[in-house]
């Protein structure tokens, strides 16, 4: 019986049997490690959740359009904007030349005011105009009137 097969056939059958044996052991004991190499990940049974019918129905209901409309401007806190504006006006008035004319000062202040359009219609626009009037007249006495400061926002 041993003379009926060759050494090559014997070695190839042993190699084939070893391949099947190691494949069985690998998949039996190291299945998830092999799958993770391929790219398949194991999911815990506790993390799988089947949605209920109520959740499904609520996801199909239409949403209100109010959620997508812009919110009213009254909810916005503009105090940092006011502080930035007053700082910029104060810095400009302090650094302006001593012989500056009224028209040039009003034009420059109007340019600063155009950078802050949210302050134009705010509740504190009158107080800001009074602040500009006080600052300008402290540095350059009688250079502008309160009415001039009110017209900066137009």
């Amino acid at each position: 019986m041993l003379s009926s097969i060759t050494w090559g056939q014997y070695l190839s059958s042993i190699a084939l049997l070893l391949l099947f044996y190691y494949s069985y052991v690998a998949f039996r004991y190291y299945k998830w490690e092999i799958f993770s190499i391929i790219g398949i990940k194991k999911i815990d049974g506790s993390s799988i959740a089947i949605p209920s019918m109520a959740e499904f129905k609520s996801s199909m209901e239409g949403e209100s359009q109010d959620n997508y409309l812009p919110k009213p401007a009254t909810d916005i806190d503009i105090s940092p904007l006011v502080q930035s504006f007053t700082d910029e006006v104060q810095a400009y008035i302090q650094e302006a030349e001593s012989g500056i004319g009224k028209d040039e000062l009003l034009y420059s202040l109007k340019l600063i005011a155009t950078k802050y359009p949210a302050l134009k219609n705010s509740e504190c626009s009158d107080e800001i105009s009074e602040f500009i009037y006080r600052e300008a007249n402290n540095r350059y006495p009688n250079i502008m009137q309160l009415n001039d400061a009110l017209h900066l926002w137009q």
Side-chain angles (χ1 to χ4, degrees), residues 5 30 37 41 103 121-122 129 136 153:
I5 61 169
Y30 301 104
I37 291 170
K41 303 291 182 195
D103 294 332
N121 297 325
S122 68
S129 298
W153 300 107

Side-chain angles (χ1 to χ4, degrees), residues 2 10 14 23 27 32 40 77 83 93 96 119 125 132 150:
L2 289 177
Y10 173 73
I14 293 294
S23 299
F27 277 106
W32 292 111
I40 300 172
D77 181 26
Q83 183 65 39
I93 290 174
L119 297 178
S125 63
I132 294 170
L150 292 173

Side-chain angles (χ1 to χ4, degrees), residues 50-118:
I50 299 172
S52 67
M53 192 60 156
E55 292 174 3
F56 179 72
K57 284 182 180 178
S58 67
S59 68
M60 298 304 265
E61 292 176 358
E63 294 182 11
S64 173
Q65 281 187 337
D66 295 337
N67 296 341
Y68 299 104
L69 295 175
K71 304 293 185 238
T74 57
D75 297 346
I76 299 171
D77 181 26
I78 62 168
S79 59
L81 194 62
V82 171
Q83 183 65 39
S84 176
F85 176 75
T86 56
D87 288 346
E88 191 169 349
V89 167
Q90 215 170 18
Y92 175 76
I93 290 174
Q94 293 299 321
E95 296 298 322
E97 298 173 1
S98 60
I100 191 169
K102 177 181 177 180
D103 294 332
E104 186 179 348
L105 179 67
L106 289 176
Y107 178 75
S108 299
L109 292 174
K110 194 169 197 166
L111 285 178
I112 294 171
T114 57
K115 290 195 261 180
Y116 301 92

Side-chain angles (χ1 to χ4, degrees), residues 14-32 34-35:
I14 293 294
L16 187 62
L17 287 173
L18 282 174
L19 179 69
F20 284 134
Y21 172 74
Y22 282 117
S23 299
Y24 169 76
V25 169
F27 277 106
R28 173 84 169 116
Y29 297 106
Y30 301 104
K31 178 174 33 176
W32 292 111
I34 293 170
F35 283 156

Side-chain angles (χ1 to χ4, degrees), residues 124-136 146 149-150:
C124 60
S125 63
D126 292 335
E127 289 87 7
I128 293 173
S129 298
E130 290 174 13
F131 169 78
I132 294 170
Y133 169 72
R134 278 194 320 268
E135 286 296 316
L146 184 57
L150 292 173

